[in-house]
Amino acid sequence: MAKMYPGFGPKVNDSMSAEPTVYELLKGQLDDEYHVIHSIPWLSSFVSEFNEVKGPLGEIDFLIFHPSFGVLAIEVKGGVVRHNDEGFYYSNDKTNGKDRIDPVSQINRSIFALQNWLRTKGVQVKIGRAFFFPESEASAAELPPSVVDHVNDIPFKILLDINDSHKLAGRIREIMCYFKKRLSANNLSENDIQTTISMILPNKDYRACWYSRVNNDNKLWLRLTPEQNECIKRGIEKKRLIIGGWPGSGKTLVVVQVARKLSSADSRVLVLTFNKLLSEKITYELSSHNNAFVYTISRLCVQAAKFLGHPPPSSGDKDWFDKQAYVELSEACAKGFLDSYDALVVDEGQIVKEAAWDIFTNIFSEKKIIAAYDATQAFSYEKPLSKEKLENLLSEETFYLTNSLRMPKSVCNRLKVFNEPNYSVINPRGEEADTLLEVVSSNPKEKLREIIDQLIAENVPLKWVTVLVPGQMSVHSSIVPYGPHVETIGRYRGMESPIIIILASGSMSDTDFFCAYSRATSRCVIILDAYKVKRSRYASLGPVIYEEQKPEVEREAEKSLTDSRLGEENLSLDYVVNGMFQLAWSDKWRMYVLLAPSEVIRVLIREYLYSISSPLVCTWSKTDRHQLFCIKEEEFSYGNRLELKYCVKCEVLCPHSAEIQSVCKVCENEPQPLRDGSFEDNCKKTSNFLSDSDKFTGGEKKRASPYLGALIAIQKANINLDDERIAAVFNELSSWGSVAVGFSIFAISTRLSKDELTLKIGEVAHETQGWNNETNNLAFSKWQGFVNDGFTKLEKHGFVYTKVKGYREIKREMFESLQLIREEGVRA
């Protein structure tokens, strides 16, 4: 079967039946050494000598390649073809007319054009020609010399007709061999054929690169619009102007232009903003205007203190900036601090405190005040000034800019998830899906590294890239190399960058997302932790992303779990214990691994191993992600979390220290001691004790570890240990708290079996303390504290609720759903 291009079937063109028929004949009858291209259209100056008009000049219907037979172009003509003194024509039975055709000239033009075009690319190809009239019949004696050659007085027909349809392979081979000899063509290698085909049918993505797209956006969209020019005109002519608008509508651009024009008209202009980065940007843009003076509000207050002769505050003196700063500003203004300015221009006016606005409106009462305002970009902790309050202070209504054209359309539309505007917002840019990329990942920081590496590979200037993070997050230089800016979302408000990458945290608010997304002028990429998306984090965005990308979220969330990642590794586990819990030796890690079918069992056995002298043991919960615990009495402190990373030396995922420059604990602890026989024997005895505790006396149970006693108590309470709700309780407890809850659950079960729903915490503490020798040796107040804490956690997760102080009401339906209640009374 021939290799066909396109492989899915014939192209759709004017030939409704003839070319599709020939396509199937060639595909079925030629073997796999043939390569056949269907329909190569031409629009080329190479054929201008045949036609003075440079326009669409037809196509090559089929082009056939064979390594030994050469290259053949075929012109196909369907229907009934006839010939007279004027040449070939179709006879149209419906109109009794004649449609003139010229297959010879058509194929000659096309071959000439193709050979010349390939020659410009350094490829020399000699192409034979043939004609195929699949619905006509013509003998060599009846054909014109243009389609018949007389070789040694024997006519050789290069026209195929209906009689050749069943023997096409042989006829194609004859014609190709004929032309190869006549044209003295060379054999073609498979590489020659593939190279030529890739030129004719290039497999290329012609989308503009991000470098070109960013430049285009800067030229096309970051210009003054008629609406912005109208706003600037108002700012020059009016005494008061409040500029409102969606992010990207050009409020800062208008503010800067007004300041320029006022400065050029010899007005001394005070330009204020709250953001240091934005202040630096505006300072740069007004650098050639000597009458424009740019300050942040905080810097202006510091200058006011100096004006009064007071010592300036330290940069970290939050109390001074929150309270005393405006007192100093007011006193300085009363003594003429701002009298030399003719106009006040304020950007991000929503963040300027009311106390400052009171001062400004008083000092500039007879002068010009221009303010840009956007309440959607104010964080709740900033206690933003309301639009109504600002309008009252300035006695002016807000003029809204409605064209948000600085950011891509898809980003503009996504902002409405976080804050739906109550006025028309128009984005005139075209829909470009790749301008907004919302990525869910099992490892967001690794994904960030990949995205930056991809931008570097695409030759995007890194100065165009800004990585935004919430204030509490940091990004190490090993993830983001030198070049891209890394800024917090709050500091970058009011700024802009061609490409914004947001490394999100689950605690981000809608305002955080709104401010971060709206900083992009060409592309916005946000990276979300799939596990947190699944758990409905990320404010309003998380549920939306989960619905839009549910399969991907589920896959990535699962991949992030330690359980899933290690499930793909061969840790060479040799099981020592395989009962209620599993303990195994890992040859790969050269340490023990603790596993358990339920989180309750795992937590209590983990606490038990902490309490005894044990070698290094690793364990992890079903909800741990990229992490695990290491248990070792001397070397690791309680609850020491380690990162799960790939070690090149060990050739497997290994526990690593959690520091930035993490170290593989397997490599660090070489050489590891041999397996601990006494520890293994002790764990086997522990497993037997838990599996068959009824064989042991009450005294033996009391002398056992309290963690094992708690596990036995929970078993006797007939609780479903696989339930995630009870697992969540145990994951929040201290070591002694887990014992207290284990004993308390048994105490609850005894009351439920008697239909008692109210219990006194003090009574439970007295009742349970004597169940184990170690708990009995604790001071009662200390034990009662552990019991109280346990009931706090049970109440938090809905198992009990407070009736009156010191008493708890049991939620029977919760415990019934855990299969806790037994038909007969339960005895300790």
Side-chain angles (χ1 to χ4, degrees), residues 33 77 161 237 262 293 296 342 440 509 568 576 591 596 608 713:
E33 286 194 283
K77 296 298 179 187
D161 61 22
E237 296 175 349
L262 292 174
F293 303 86
T296 62
D342 302 305
V440 292
S509 66
E568 299 174 0
V576 177
M591 63 180 75
Y608 166 66

Side-chain angles (χ1 to χ4, degrees), residues 69 75 175 222 435 437 469 488 520 565 586 618:
F69 308 146
E75 180 72 20
I175 296 172
L222 305 187
T435 55
L437 182 62
V469 296
T488 62
R565 299 187 71 197
S586 170
C618 270

Side-chain angles (χ1 to χ4, degrees), residues 217-233 243 248-258 260-261 285 401 403 405-406 428:
D217 289 340
N218 290 340
K219 294 173 183 176
L220 190 61
W221 303 116
L222 305 187
R223 300 178 298 179
L224 284 170
T225 64
E227 185 182 52
Q228 291 164 350
N229 278 319
E230 180 186 350
C231 192
I232 292 167
K233 183 180 178 184
I243 309 162
S249 58
K251 297 183 296 296
T252 300
L253 188 61
V254 168
V255 162
V256 170
Q257 285 297 101
V258 169
R260 283 174 177 159
K261 289 182 178 293
E285 293 183 356
L401 297 171
N403 281 275
L405 70 169
R406 188 204 65 205

Side-chain angles (χ1 to χ4, degrees), residues 755-771:
D755 289 328
E756 296 176 7
L757 298 181
T758 303
L759 53 77
K760 187 176 182 180
I761 294 179
E763 290 179 357
V764 173
H766 274 292
E767 177 184 337
T768 57
Q769 186 175 17
W771 289 0

Side-chain angles (χ1 to χ4, degrees), residues 571-583:
L571 298 182
S572 302
L573 296 180
D574 180 15
Y575 284 88
V576 177
V577 174
N578 199 1
M580 183 181 291
F581 65 93
Q582 292 81 44
L583 185 79

Side-chain angles (χ1 to χ4, degrees), residues 283-334:
T283 298
Y284 173 78
E285 293 183 356
L286 294 175
S287 58
S288 61
H289 292 75
N290 296 329
N291 286 328
F293 303 86
V294 184
Y295 291 90
T296 62
I297 297 294
S298 58
R299 181 165 168 254
L300 185 71
C301 291
V302 171
Q303 293 300 314
K306 291 180 179 179
F307 178 84
L308 294 171
H310 299 166
S314 62
S315 60
D317 192 346
K318 188 175 183 300
D319 284 342
W320 189 91
F321 285 103
D322 285 345
K323 300 172 184 176
Q324 187 62 25
Y326 300 104
V327 175
E328 305 257 353
L329 180 61
S330 180
E331 290 179 7
C333 287

